[in-house]
Amino acid sequence: MTLPTIEIAAQAGACYGVERALQMVKKAGVTHGGSVQTLGPLIHNPQVVQELEQDGIRVASHVDEATANVVVVRSHGVAPEVVQRAHELQKTVLDATCPYVKKVHYAAKFLEEQGYQVIVVGEAGHPEVEGTRGNAPSAVVVGSPEQLKDVKLRRKVGVVVQTTQSKANLQAILSCLLGKVEELRVFDTICAATSERQAAAADLSSRVDTMIVIGGRISANTTRLAEICAAHCSNTHHIEKPTELDPSWFATSKHIGITAGASTPANQIQAVQAAIVNLCEHL
Ligand code: SF4
């Protein structure tokens, strides 16, 4: 049997913000020994979180529960109250918030201070969105044009966007806002890493017969990649680790595509690729 070709998306896997956060935390772990905790899982990748735990860097689900001297703000960022509380508890705060997420915080704060009704285009309850709301407490979160119907719009509206949102959703929501408000100011804070990965995933999934998307199931950007791929390739599967691969997915595969969310390090992509090769060799 001829083995299928495997192609990895031109843009896939860990982004700048995730690499930066990982490096900061690992360095802190070395400097401060076992006295480092992340406020929530550092990134939405269970395997990475487990590896950090093995190095003594544990997760505190809330700042009040942190026992370590050093607490790390993860790449998704947090509301200012969380940092303030950490300082009250005499903790050293290591801020690994991605600079692109910081831009969303600054934009939301600026708009609120300028008297705009702030709309955050994003997923309500997502940690990044909660951090943004903390910077503009009266902000409303809108996930879709339908959700906009429940919002009592004011005259001046300012929009910021969760970094992992799609351009299409932003455009759909902006179209609904146009004509309903007198002044509309938009900060397009979608991260380039996200849109590049989405474009590469769309391109690859439209050319292959089998598509594997790697990343945490609670990772918003990975879930979005899986949705994009499924729209182009019906044989799309979202996995977190190689052991989830099912040989039946590859029974008739000739061209297999792989992509991965922005919180998936390169070694995890390589491990999945190797596992697929191994499975196909034994079909
Ligand atoms: S996806 Fe973009 S915003 Fe999010 S952590 Fe990565 S670089 Fe930062």
Side-chain angles (χ1 to χ4, degrees):
M1 176 193 161
T2 315
L3 284 177
T5 48
I6 300 178
E7 184 175 344
I8 295 172
Q11 298 284 338
C15 59
Y16 159 74
V18 164
E19 291 286 7
R20 178 178 173 272
L22 273 169
Q23 280 171 21
M24 285 174 80
V25 169
K26 284 179 181 168
K27 197 170 161 202
V30 172
T31 311
H32 301 280
S35 197
V36 179
Q37 276 179 294
T38 60
L39 296 178
L42 184 68
I43 53 175
H44 282 161
N45 184 307
Q47 286 161 278
V48 170
V49 171
Q50 210 177 353
E51 282 164 23
L52 289 174
E53 270 178 17
Q54 282 158 6
D55 290 341
I57 300 162
R58 292 163 296 123
V59 177
S61 50
H62 191 278
V63 64
D64 287 315
E65 289 166 18
T67 50
N69 297 330
V70 180
V71 291
V72 183
V73 173
R74 54 197 181 164
S75 51
H76 294 116
V78 290
E81 293 76 26
V82 177
V83 176
Q84 197 183 324
R85 180 67 184 143
H87 285 138
E88 283 167 12
L89 294 167
Q90 312 293 319
K91 306 285 185 196
T92 299
V93 179
L94 182 66
D95 190 356
T97 307
C98 175
Y100 296 121
V101 174
K102 283 272 191 205
K103 268 171 73 176
V104 192
H105 292 181
Y106 295 143
K109 191 167 187 284
F110 169 81
L111 287 168
E112 183 151 289
E113 284 168 357
Q114 297 295 312
Y116 290 87
Q117 177 186 22
V118 180
I119 291 183
V120 184
V121 173
E123 188 189 333
H126 186 281
E128 182 194 314
V129 172
E130 290 308 301
T132 301
R133 285 184 63 219
N135 283 272
S138 64
V140 182
V141 182
V142 172
S144 65
E146 292 70 41
Q147 287 177 14
L148 203 54
K149 290 179 192 135
D150 303 326
V151 181
K152 192 168 181 305
L153 293 169
R154 299 208 319 244
R155 197 177 61 80
K156 279 173 65 171
V157 168
V159 174
V160 299
V161 197
Q162 182 183 358
T163 54
T164 48
Q165 284 287 303
S166 71
K167 291 267 182 208
N169 194 39
L170 172 62
Q171 277 159 359
I173 288 171
L174 292 180
S175 300
C176 292
L177 282 170
L178 284 170
K180 290 201 182 86
V181 297
E182 250 175 62
E183 187 182 336
L184 179 61
R185 186 147 185 197
V186 182
F187 284 87
D188 178 356
T189 44
I190 294 175
C191 169
T194 304
S195 49
E196 284 165 9
R197 278 157 184 71
Q198 288 174 352
D203 168 59
L204 181 57
S205 59
S206 62
R207 294 186 287 105
V208 298
D209 51 52
T210 310
M211 191 73 203
I212 302 299
V213 182
I214 315 163
R217 290 211 169 69
I218 56 164
S219 156
N221 76 82
T222 311
T223 305
R224 187 100 42 215
L225 284 180
E227 287 167 3
I228 290 169
C229 292
H232 293 282
C233 172
S234 57
N235 195 17
T236 291
H237 305 278
H238 178 176
I239 61 162
E240 286 187 349
K241 47 186 186 296
T243 49
E244 293 170 34
L245 293 167
D246 184 331
S248 68
W249 300 342
F250 309 103
T252 57
S253 302
K254 291 191 169 50
H255 191 182
I256 300 167
I258 299 178
T259 189
S263 43
T264 306
N267 63 341
Q268 290 184 7
I269 300 176
Q270 286 153 9
V272 169
Q273 184 178 12
I276 293 173
V277 170
N278 187 40
L279 280 177
C280 291
E281 280 173 351
H282 292 90
L283 280 175

